[in-house]
Amino acid sequence: MKLSVSAELCMGHGRCYALAPEVYEPDDEGYNSARGEIIEVADEHAHSAARGARACPEGAIEIVAGGPATKEPR
């Protein structure tokens, strides 16, 4: 799975890394440290990566390739 993290949309709410710390991490200012990048996510973290992306109120994280095969229950 690959994710794109928008530098323009990320406002530093931190929901992504609060829900999926194995995928996302904050920078020194509390924003997603991968802002402006495309990141590769290991298959075993696909569900938590998607959960963190869904939690972003700004929609700053987009799944650009792959994705979890099944929906994770909320």
Side-chain angles (χ1 to χ4, degrees):
M1 160 189 254
K2 290 185 181 182
L3 302 170
S4 172
V5 182
S6 172
E8 292 81 29
L9 295 177
C10 179
M11 295 291 132
H13 294 288
R15 293 179 185 176
C16 58
Y17 53 79
L19 292 173
E22 63 279 3
V23 177
Y24 308 104
E25 58 186 47
D27 65 11
D28 292 339
E29 297 175 346
Y31 294 95
N32 186 310
S33 65
R35 285 185 306 156
E37 299 178 18
I38 294 178
I39 58 173
E40 184 88 29
V41 178
D43 290 342
E44 64 265 20
H45 299 303
H47 287 289
S48 58
R51 183 174 180 220
R54 285 191 309 268
C56 179
E58 312 303 343
I61 304 170
E62 179 182 359
I63 298 171
V64 295
T70 58
K71 283 187 156 184
E72 177 184 35
R74 288 185 180 234

